[in-house]
Amino acid sequence: MATGDIPTTQLLISSGNGPVARTVLQTPLRDAEPSEIPVIDVSGLFSPSLAHRQAVARHIRDAATNTGFFYIAQHGIPAQTTAAAHAACLDFFRQPAEVKQRASIDRSRRFNGYKPAATQRINPFESVDVRESFSWVYDPRFDPAVADVSQIPPEAAAHLCPEDFPWEATANLPQFKVAIVDYWRSCLGLARALIRAFALALDLDEHFFDSKVTYPDAVLAMNYYPPIPKPKGSEAAARPQSEQEVSIGSHTDFQLFTILWQDDNGGLQVLNRQGQWINAKPIAGTLVVNIADYLQRITNDRYVSTVHRAQNWSGRERVSLPFFVGFNWDESCGVLDNCVAEGESKRYDEISCAEWVTRRARAMYRTDGFEGKGARQRCLDLLLD
């Protein structure tokens, strides 16, 4: 099939409502234009002036309704914090396989720890992801906003499962915990500021969502991508989707939004509104933010959860640090009334965050080697408790 004179292909991805197809133009990969993925100075979010915070929110709203991706500058996370986290990741992933396996997610009571190469497939219609990763889920003991973990309400505590395993399993790297916790805390503070900005961008009181992020779904993943060969010419388009080698497959994120630090090797690709793959090139000093599915749902599709992937064709190892942000697991939210224009209807039913993320997780990660170990199922069982 074709759009005008440009041939197209169908890209299959998983979703919370089953497989969906996206039409992709077979045009050469190009760098994103500033109008597609803008750079937003978010320093105003930390201003005492409501007008300054609202000005940032307007820029965020424009980006969220366009490609659903934007860079943020002047975000308040010190360069030394990200540099230390980056170094800690390299220290971990460059270890021998048997040492990394001490931190295997299969040994975790929660979805914490190491996942080796060729054990993840984020898109069941594409190849196994060519990456290793290490995940750490929200732990209230490290949240500066939680004064006393014993006072967490039972309905929220039921979904929390703090454990020391990630740090015990990496005790041979004394700076690993220090660097990762510091970066996680910095991202958590930034995430809460962005959540208030999203409220303003939706013409809500900026504290509208505060009660939903007291113990949020705040997961830090550390991704390590070895280089993969770049397809030559039209080779990539000609090969079936299932045979195209990917660093991480085509997907959308689960909850509200993601804050991503990426090194300078590049590889992040975004599917724009016209169906073209574009590069979200690294910009020094910035982080990438992208809208996720749950935020698209509650805004009745005003905000765009955009398909993206990574292809590490740099010839060098690549590290990225995505910080996934969502409401508390026990929270539920339907389509916001002020996101339904006159004559429109609400396109989505209300669904709890735990149910939505579990539904998404079950539709993804279809790698037999990983699921066969039982770690994913145990995590899902915990989330459904």
Side-chain angles (χ1 to χ4, degrees):
M1 59 183 296
T3 300
D5 295 327
I6 303 175
T8 66
T9 187
Q10 292 295 301
L11 175 73
L12 289 174
I13 62 170
S14 62
S15 78
N17 300 308
V20 297
R22 302 291 176 89
T23 299
V24 179
L25 298 174
Q26 294 186 27
T27 52
L29 183 68
R30 63 172 176 82
D31 294 341
E33 299 289 342
S35 60
E36 294 172 306
I37 308 181
V39 179
I40 301 174
D41 180 338
V42 296
S43 57
L45 294 183
F46 310 102
S47 167
S49 166
L50 176 60
H52 291 168
R53 300 194 298 274
Q54 288 173 327
V56 175
R58 285 193 292 272
H59 289 298
I60 289 176
R61 178 178 57 210
D62 291 344
T65 55
N66 183 15
T67 305
F69 267 76
F70 53 96
Y71 300 92
I72 56 174
Q74 305 300 318
H75 45 70
I77 298 182
Q80 59 266 33
T81 298
T82 52
H86 180 209
C89 286
L90 291 176
D91 286 345
F92 176 82
F93 287 114
R94 287 172 175 172
Q95 296 180 110
E98 62 270 18
V99 177
K100 290 182 285 190
Q101 278 299 120
R102 297 173 190 166
S104 170
I105 192 172
D106 198 34
R107 302 179 181 181
S108 172
R109 293 184 298 116
R110 196 61 160 144
F111 195 37
N112 289 316
Y114 172 66
K115 295 175 282 296
T119 59
Q120 300 173 83
R121 177 180 279 130
I122 203 164
N123 186 334
F125 307 102
E126 293 177 327
S127 76
V128 172
D129 299 342
V130 183
R131 63 171 172 141
E132 302 173 46
S133 63
F134 189 109
S135 300
W136 181 42
V137 304
Y138 176 80
D139 187 332
R141 298 175 300 174
F142 297 94
D143 185 347
V146 177
D148 185 352
V149 294
S150 68
Q151 298 303 308
I152 297 175
E155 60 273 16
H159 293 274
L160 303 176
C161 188
E163 66 173 355
D164 294 321
F165 167 73
W167 319 123
E168 294 170 349
T170 55
N172 63 308
L173 301 173
Q175 293 304 309
F176 183 81
K177 177 182 178 181
V178 174
I180 297 307
V181 170
D182 186 33
Y183 181 72
W184 181 87
R185 282 176 169 158
S186 297
C187 286
L188 184 59
L190 174 60
R192 286 181 166 133
L194 286 169
I195 287 169
R196 291 190 291 274
F198 278 114
L200 289 173
L202 292 166
D203 297 319
L204 301 167
D205 181 274
E206 66 181 319
H207 299 289
F208 183 85
F209 296 121
D210 283 5
S211 64
K212 294 182 180 295
V213 289
T214 46
Y215 318 102
D217 180 22
V219 180
L220 177 64
M222 294 153 262
N223 289 324
Y224 178 83
Y225 300 101
I228 60 175
K230 184 176 182 178
K232 297 178 181 179
S234 59
E235 178 184 342
R239 290 161 65 188
Q241 180 182 349
S242 61
E243 296 178 9
Q244 295 181 24
E245 191 172 39
V246 292
S247 295
I248 183 171
S250 309
H251 66 283
T252 56
D253 292 341
F254 294 0
Q255 269 254 42
L256 297 177
F257 58 91
T258 302
I259 301 170
L260 175 77
W261 179 86
Q262 56 177 333
D263 68 18
D264 59 6
N265 289 316
L268 175 61
Q269 300 173 4
V270 176
L271 191 66
N272 70 8
R273 298 294 288 270
Q274 290 71 46
Q276 294 176 302
W277 283 113
I278 56 176
N279 285 318
K281 295 182 68 174
I283 298 177
T286 70
L287 301 168
V288 179
V289 176
N290 65 276
I291 307 303
D293 292 350
Y294 202 83
L295 187 52
Q296 177 170 313
R297 285 178 65 94
I298 68 174
T299 60
N300 217 33
D301 294 338
R302 286 193 179 187
Y303 289 1
V304 183
S305 179
T306 299
V307 177
H308 53 286
R309 66 186 182 189
Q311 305 280 44
N312 181 20
W313 296 329
S314 69
R316 301 176 295 275
E317 62 188 354
R318 176 180 185 262
V319 168
S320 72
L321 300 173
F323 183 81
F324 305 104
V325 183
F327 290 148
N328 301 0
W329 277 92
D330 62 309
E331 288 291 341
S332 180
C333 192
V335 173
L336 301 166
D337 290 337
N338 68 339
C339 289
V340 184
E342 185 176 353
E344 288 185 340
S345 59
K346 294 184 177 182
R347 299 175 182 176
Y348 304 103
D349 295 330
E350 182 164 339
I351 188 171
S352 73
C353 295
E355 182 181 351
W356 174 251
V357 175
T358 301
R359 183 192 297 181
R360 284 299 320 269
R362 280 183 171 149
M364 302 168 84
Y365 295 98
R366 298 299 185 94
T367 302
D368 294 340
F370 181 53
E371 289 188 344
K373 296 178 182 178
R376 180 43 128 183
Q377 188 57 53
R378 288 203 299 278
C379 287
L380 292 173
D381 290 342
L382 278 169
L383 300 180
L384 291 170
D385 281 349

